[in-house]
């Protein structure tokens, strides 16, 4: 499904984000930036070991050894990926909903879009952040993701945003959520 918002394109696709030829793909990373399971592992495997080296440099130089806090985002090159860049953001772990999970998830999308604009990228692809190992209920995560992206696109002309969902079921949930809010 594809819609136009203020001269931008928003689309929902089923697929593997490591094969997407966008200017940047977003990684649902963990705070260590050292890779992990799920989409994070897939991105590191496909990008090659230079990605891990750049992530380690960011940990040392930009973050002074600290972990990247949830909601924040940093950018690296894409190395062997078809995408030019990877934006690494750390989603919140779902802890019942009263630990600012929705706000922190929204910040993941906001900060990734801010990096997109800052670097004048025209196409960014997001996975469904936090809805795997981090257990954020997908219906709620989809609403936060979509509202954050749509409100941003209403204000800014950047280009194209693609949600790349890993299953047909997840894609249906995102599309239905969009229709329920904006349809
Ligand atoms: P988190 O720790 O933020 O929950 P996960 O990687 O565990 O991150 O899961 C986030 C979402 O990414 C899940 O919906 C999962 O199915 C999906 N996912 C896993 N691998 C890929 C991939 N290669 N491309 C796109 N989405 C993926």
């Amino acid at each position: 499904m594809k819609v136009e918002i203020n001269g931008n394109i928003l689309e929902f696709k089923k697929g593997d984000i490591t094969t997407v030829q966008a200017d940047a793909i977003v990684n649902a990373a963990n705070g260590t930036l050292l890779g992990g399971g799920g989409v994070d592992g897939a991105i590191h495997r496909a990008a090659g070991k230079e990605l891990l080296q750049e992530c380690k440099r960011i940990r040392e130089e930009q973050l002074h050894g600290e972990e990247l806090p949830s909601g924040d985002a940093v950018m690296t090159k894409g190395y062997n990926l078809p995408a030019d860049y990877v934006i690494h953001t750390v989603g919140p772990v779902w802890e019942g909903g009263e630990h600012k999970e929705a706000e922190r998830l929204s910040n993941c999308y906001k900060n990734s879009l801010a990096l997109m604009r800052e670097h004048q990228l025209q196409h960014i692809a997001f996975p469904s952040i936090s809805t795997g190992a981090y257990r954020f209920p997908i219906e709620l995560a989809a609403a936060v993701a979509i509202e954050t992206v749509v409100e941003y696109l209403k204000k800014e002309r950047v280009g194209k945003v693609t949600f790349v969902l890993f299953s047909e079921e997840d894609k249906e949930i995102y599309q239905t959520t969009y229709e329920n809010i904006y349809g």
Side-chain angles (χ1 to χ4, degrees), residues 15-18 28-29 37-40 42-43 91-92 127-136 138 164-167 170:
D16 175 350
I17 203 162
T18 64
V39 71
D40 193 8
I43 288 172
S128 179
I129 300 166
S130 280
T131 65
Y134 284 1
R135 303 182 313 274
F136 204 119
I138 189 164
V164 181
L165 292 323
F166 208 40
S167 68
D170 287 0

Side-chain angles (χ1 to χ4, degrees), residues 20-33:
V20 172
Q21 217 164 359
D23 297 324
I25 62 168
V26 176
N27 181 16
N30 62 64
T32 69
L33 299 183

Side-chain angles (χ1 to χ4, degrees), residues 96-157:
E98 290 177 1
H99 295 84
K100 296 196 166 41
E101 290 94 329
E103 187 184 322
R104 288 187 281 139
L105 183 62
S106 181
N107 287 340
C108 289
Y109 290 93
K110 279 185 197 154
N111 288 321
S112 298
L113 290 163
L115 282 173
M116 175 194 193
R117 188 160 184 271
E118 191 183 321
H119 295 273
Q120 296 178 321
L121 308 181
Q122 279 156 17
H123 182 200
I124 187 173
F126 286 102
S128 179
I129 300 166
S130 280
T131 65
Y134 284 1
R135 303 182 313 274
F136 204 119
I138 189 164
E139 284 81 4
L140 205 52
V144 170
I146 289 165
E147 283 190 62
T148 306
V149 169
V150 170
E151 294 312 312
Y152 187 86
L153 295 181
K154 281 182 180 173
K155 292 187 308 213
E156 305 284 351
R157 200 157 292 185

